[in-house]
Amino acid sequence: MNINDYNAGIRRIVISEEEIRSAITKAGAMISEKYKGEPVLLVSVLKGAFIFLADLARAISIPCEIGFMEAKSYFADTKSSGSVAITMDLKHDVSKYHVIIVEDIIDTGRTLKEIAKIISSRKPLSLEIVTLLDKPSRRVVELNADYSLFTIPDLFVIGYGLDFDEYYRNLPYIAEFNESLL
Ligand code: IMP
Ligand code: MG
């Protein structure tokens, strides 16, 4: 992508670095308090949540382990359910942990619902979902995060791990993508 198109794709900042940082500090403190003395596994679904996970993990002050999954979703638009194939699985035996799924954004909710179902079937001590962003107006399946840092309207956003066509993940803030470039 050329630099002019790249810059034109960033329409406006929706959530600043400072706002993200302070929300993550609060979430980290809450998780540290809630899970004190318990075995915790933070599970991130690649790739979008990698930056959120890195910052959230550093805001948590209790011992915790970190695992990654990668999944491919196959959803026909007309169906409300589909399937998720795991392309890289967790190495941990989740039955020994309180699992916290760390997600970048919940949109339709379909991918995360399937992932939560797969992890649940392995009988973790408990399972919670923490998401940086939530777009509730787009939901097509019933799925709610236990903790959502920001609720946003139906905008396509980029930055802080979120991409458009694999670009913009490295922006330090969340921005609205300028879809007129499409
Ligand atoms: P869903 O909840 O199954 O629809 O899928 C959510 C996934 O779609 C997220 O993990 C993102 O990878 C992607 N996604 C949804 N909304 C956005 C957005 O506004 N910007 C970038 N990626 C998005
Ligand atoms: Mg994602």
Side-chain angles (χ1 to χ4, degrees):
M1 185 185 267
N2 80 56
I3 189 72
N4 293 327
D5 288 350
Y6 181 83
N7 288 332
I10 305 167
R11 182 178 224 157
R12 66 184 174 96
I13 295 179
V14 176
I15 308 171
S16 70
E17 289 184 69
E18 292 69 28
E19 289 173 297
I20 295 172
R21 194 176 314 118
S22 93
I24 290 181
T25 301
K26 259 173 55 190
M30 191 210 69
I31 290 169
S32 306
E33 182 56 37
K34 178 164 183 182
Y35 291 94
K36 210 183 325 175
E38 305 287 348
V40 173
L41 177 64
L42 303 179
V43 172
S44 168
V45 184
L46 294 170
K47 295 183 252 191
F50 81 108
I51 292 182
F52 178 41
L53 174 75
D55 283 345
L56 181 64
R58 284 177 287 182
I60 293 175
S61 54
I62 58 170
C64 68
E65 294 181 45
I66 290 168
F68 293 98
M69 283 175 94
E70 190 175 46
K72 260 207 170 79
S73 313
Y74 305 90
F75 294 115
D77 256 14
T78 50
K79 283 195 220 145
S80 63
S81 72
S83 63
V84 165
I86 297 181
T87 50
M88 187 186 81
D89 206 346
L90 282 170
K91 311 281 183 287
H92 293 78
D93 171 2
V94 301
S95 69
K96 297 184 166 61
Y97 297 92
H98 293 277
V99 173
I100 304 174
I101 299 178
V102 178
E103 184 56 304
D104 51 353
I105 187 165
I106 307 179
D107 187 40
T108 65
R110 293 191 285 207
T111 309
L112 199 54
K113 185 162 185 155
E114 289 299 309
I115 296 223
K117 204 159 91 185
I118 291 165
I119 294 179
S120 279
S121 72
R122 299 174 183 174
K123 307 270 178 271
L125 297 175
S126 67
L127 180 62
E128 279 203 321
I129 296 172
V130 175
T131 188
L132 176 68
L133 304 174
D134 190 3
K135 280 196 231 175
S137 61
R138 294 260 309 161
R139 207 73 94 248
V140 301
V141 296
E142 197 169 321
L143 175 91
N144 288 309
D146 298 285
Y147 195 66
S148 154
L149 279 62
F150 299 97
T151 298
I152 59 167
D154 183 13
L155 300 172
F156 194 84
V157 289
I158 50 173
Y160 201 76
L162 291 145
D163 72 305
F164 167 72
D165 200 18
E166 295 298 329
Y167 291 104
Y168 302 107
R169 294 191 195 274
N170 54 316
L171 293 178
Y173 47 78
I174 307 276
E176 180 180 357
F177 180 62
N178 186 358
E179 296 189 66
S180 68
L181 293 184
L182 291 178

